[in-house]
Each structure stands twice: as structure tokens, then as C-alpha cells.
């Protein structure tokens, strides 16, 4: 189960990503926001991050205007490795090297076509499992 959330700045892109996930047959839980009304990104960033950290969701996707505020929020939750990506190279690398468990996107930064490719890359790339990367990830939590 994938967790997905956004503020108003990411609402439109969230709708497009959810339609794409349905097309791919990927189950998700939408943590909101559910309208385009102005709202506070930490509410949604924290809700998805807590669900991923608790194991309720395997991975998450978070979207705000830039992707910055919502990724900063998610990364405050222990066990979360949220990666803000605006290109497919970074999305692939963060799965291979960082085993990122949340993808953050900027709804005002990337177009829908690119965003969906980034989502697919993030979802379809496994962690490399290489010892040096596992060692570095372990050091993130201190
Ligand atoms: C909302 O206007 C905007 O600040 C928010 O979506 C995000 O970009 C914050 O980092």
C-alpha cells in the first residue's frame, strides 16, 4: 500500500498521480488534502510519513508547491528517508543508494508527464542492497 498526500500546491498533481496509480493497478491511500483550498503542508507530510514509519504504508509520495516544505516535514519522522526529485536520474539513484521510502515532488516545479515518469522510476527501482549503501543508510539515523 502506497501513501499519498499533498497540500493545495500539489493537489492537481496528486490527482494525476492517483489516476496513474489506478491505471497501473497500484493500491494507495490518499491522506489529503481533498480540495484546492489553501492548507498547511506539514499536516499531510506528517500523516504520510507516520503511516510509512509505522508500516501501514510501504512507501509514500508527497507533493507541495516546491516539494521542499513537505519533504523537510517528512524527514523529521524517524525512519523516513524522503527524497525530493525533479528528474528520473535522482529518483533511480535515491532508491538504489538511499532506499528512499518517500518521494517528494514539486507540483509547481515539474510538469505532469515528467512527474509520472519520476513516480514510475521511484516505484520500479529496488534498493541495490549493496553493503556500502546499507552502511551509510544506517549512519543516517545515528
Ligand atoms: C504553499 O504556497 C507553498 O508554500 C507550499 O506548497 C510549499 O511549496 C512549501 O514548501
Amino acid at each position: 500500500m502506497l501513501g499519498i498526500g499533498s497540500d493545495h500546491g500539489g493537489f492537481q498533481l496528486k490527482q494525476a498521480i492517483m489516476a496513474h496509480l489506478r491505471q497501473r493497478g497500484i493500491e494507495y491511500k490518499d491522506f489529503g488534502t481533498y480540495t484546492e483550498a489553501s492548507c498547511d503542508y506539514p499536516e499531510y507530510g506528517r500523516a504520510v510519513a507516520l503511516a510509512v514509519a509505522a508500516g501501514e504504508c510501504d512507501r509514500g509520495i508527497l507533493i507541495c508547491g516546491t516539494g521542499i516544505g513537505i519533504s523537510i516535514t517528512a524527514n523529521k519522522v524517524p525512519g523516513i528517508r524522503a527524497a525530493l526529485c525533479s528528474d528520473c536520474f535522482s529518483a533511480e539513484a535515491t532508491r538504489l543508494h538511499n532506499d528512499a521510502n518517500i518521494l517528494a515532488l514539486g507540483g509547481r516545479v515539474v510538469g505532469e508527464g515528467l512527474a509520472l515518469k519520476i513516480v514510475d522510476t521511484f516505484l520500479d527501482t529496488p534498493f541495490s542492497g549493496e553493503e556500502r549503501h546499507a552502511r551509510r543508510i544506517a549512519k543516517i539515523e545515528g
Side-chain angles (χ1 to χ4, degrees):
M1 174 74 71
L2 189 70
I4 188 163
S6 78
D7 73 352
H8 55 290
F11 178 79
Q12 294 275 356
L13 184 55
K14 177 160 70 73
Q15 299 306 111
I17 291 172
M18 291 191 300
H20 183 68
L21 295 174
R22 287 195 294 275
Q23 241 172 12
R24 285 196 53 176
I26 296 171
E27 271 194 283
Y28 63 83
K29 179 173 176 182
D30 180 8
F31 287 80
T33 184
Y34 304 113
T35 74
E36 292 195 82
S38 181
C39 60
D40 298 340
Y41 59 81
E43 309 280 348
Y44 308 97
R46 185 164 298 109
V48 170
L50 288 173
V52 172
E56 182 194 338
C57 295
D58 314 307
R59 273 189 257 172
I61 297 177
L62 289 172
I63 314 139
C64 67
T66 58
I68 296 172
I70 210 157
S71 59
I72 290 172
T73 304
N75 277 317
K76 297 283 183 192
V77 174
I80 292 303
R81 294 177 301 281
L84 172 57
C85 297
S86 298
D87 64 89
C88 293
F89 178 85
S90 299
E92 182 182 44
T94 199
R95 289 291 307 132
L96 291 170
H97 294 197
N98 316 123
D99 197 14
N101 47 16
I102 292 185
L103 169 67
L105 293 162
R108 297 172 183 154
V109 178
V110 289
E112 185 182 311
L114 175 57
L116 298 183
K117 290 272 185 207
I118 293 170
V119 166
D120 285 342
T121 303
F122 180 79
L123 294 179
D124 297 343
T125 305
F127 174 50
S128 71
E130 289 172 27
E131 190 280 331
R132 69 183 190 286
H133 293 309
R135 184 182 69 237
R136 291 164 190 163
I137 291 166
K139 287 184 178 182
I140 293 174
E141 297 285 343

